[in-house]
Structure formats: C-alpha cells, structure tokens
Amino acid sequence: MSPIDNDLPDLPGLTQETNLAPRPNVAPAPSPAHGSIKITRCPDGRAVGRVEPLRGIMLKMGRDAACPISLNDPDVSRVHAILTLSEDGLRIADLNSTNGTWLNGAKITTEVLLKTGDTLLLGATVLIYTRL
C-alpha cells in the first residue's frame, strides 16, 4: 500500500492512480446573445467602441463592478437600470437612479421595450442597442 493510500482511509479503493485520473476540460458554453449595446460616448473615452453582448434574462447596468454591464461614469448610479428579456424583446427600466435613464432623448419612467438603433443615456454615457 502506498503512503497516499494510507492518507485516504475513509475512501476505500481510492489509489494514487484514481486520484490523478485526468478530468475533461469542458467549460460550459455561454448562452447565446440576444442583442448588444455599444458605447458611443463616455466620460473618459476609453470604453468608446466597446460592444457588450447581452446574454441572460436580467442584466443590471451601473457603476458597480458587480453589474454585468459596468459603466465607468461618475454620473451613473451604482445600480442604475435593468434590462429584462421578455417574449416581445428586451426591455429597460430605471432603478430609481439619481440622474435617470434616457431613451432617444426622453426620460423613461416605466419599463420600455427597446428596438434596434435605440439610443440610451445613463449619466454621461451613450449606448446604442442592437437586437440580434
């Protein structure tokens, strides 16, 4: 019996060979994107041109790094808005942000359905939505 076998008394039949058996390296496939947003203007300019694929049923947008769509903009609330996938497409709602969420130049006060080409303004960041 090898020294490794002695270290595993509660796992009968486990040997060094069993312990070192190769494991498949399979990562889960990402869910398909149902749309994207492209940053066209932001305060520091570094994120201009960045395209975020939209995956999942609910995506929070905000300054907080924990948000799936994190925006480096001091005028954006930590958790500013939420995108929700519905049967008819992607909807956006403001989450009581300090500066509001604007869609095509109008401040939104209720959940709104997005369409390709819509312009979003969160703080000083401008984003363009594309439905896939």
Side-chain angles (χ1 to χ4, degrees), residues 2-57:
S2 74
I4 291 178
D5 293 334
N6 291 333
D7 291 340
L8 304 169
D10 57 334
L11 300 171
L14 186 63
T15 66
Q16 183 175 10
E17 292 76 28
T18 305
N19 195 28
L20 298 177
R23 295 186 178 129
N25 188 10
V26 179
S31 59
H34 45 77
S36 66
I37 56 169
K38 179 177 182 178
I39 298 175
T40 61
R41 188 180 80 201
C42 61
D44 67 8
R46 290 181 291 179
V48 170
R50 185 176 96 198
V51 176
E52 292 281 345
L54 303 174
R55 294 183 170 92
I57 296 172

Side-chain angles (χ1 to χ4, degrees), residues 32 79 91:
V79 182
R91 298 178 168 275

Side-chain angles (χ1 to χ4, degrees), residues 14-98:
L14 186 63
T15 66
Q16 183 175 10
E17 292 76 28
T18 305
N19 195 28
L20 298 177
R23 295 186 178 129
N25 188 10
V26 179
S31 59
H34 45 77
S36 66
I37 56 169
K38 179 177 182 178
I39 298 175
T40 61
R41 188 180 80 201
C42 61
D44 67 8
R46 290 181 291 179
V48 170
R50 185 176 96 198
V51 176
E52 292 281 345
L54 303 174
R55 294 183 170 92
I57 296 172
M58 287 207 253
L59 297 166
K60 290 182 181 174
M61 303 171 68
R63 196 177 67 245
D64 194 313
C67 288
I69 302 171
S70 182
L71 303 171
N72 186 18
D73 180 340
D75 294 327
V76 170
S77 295
R78 282 190 320 244
V79 182
H80 194 104
I82 189 163
L83 298 168
T84 307
L85 186 61
S86 65
E87 286 183 17
D88 53 350
L90 194 68
R91 298 178 168 275
I92 187 165
D94 185 76
L95 296 175
N96 297 316
S97 65
T98 302

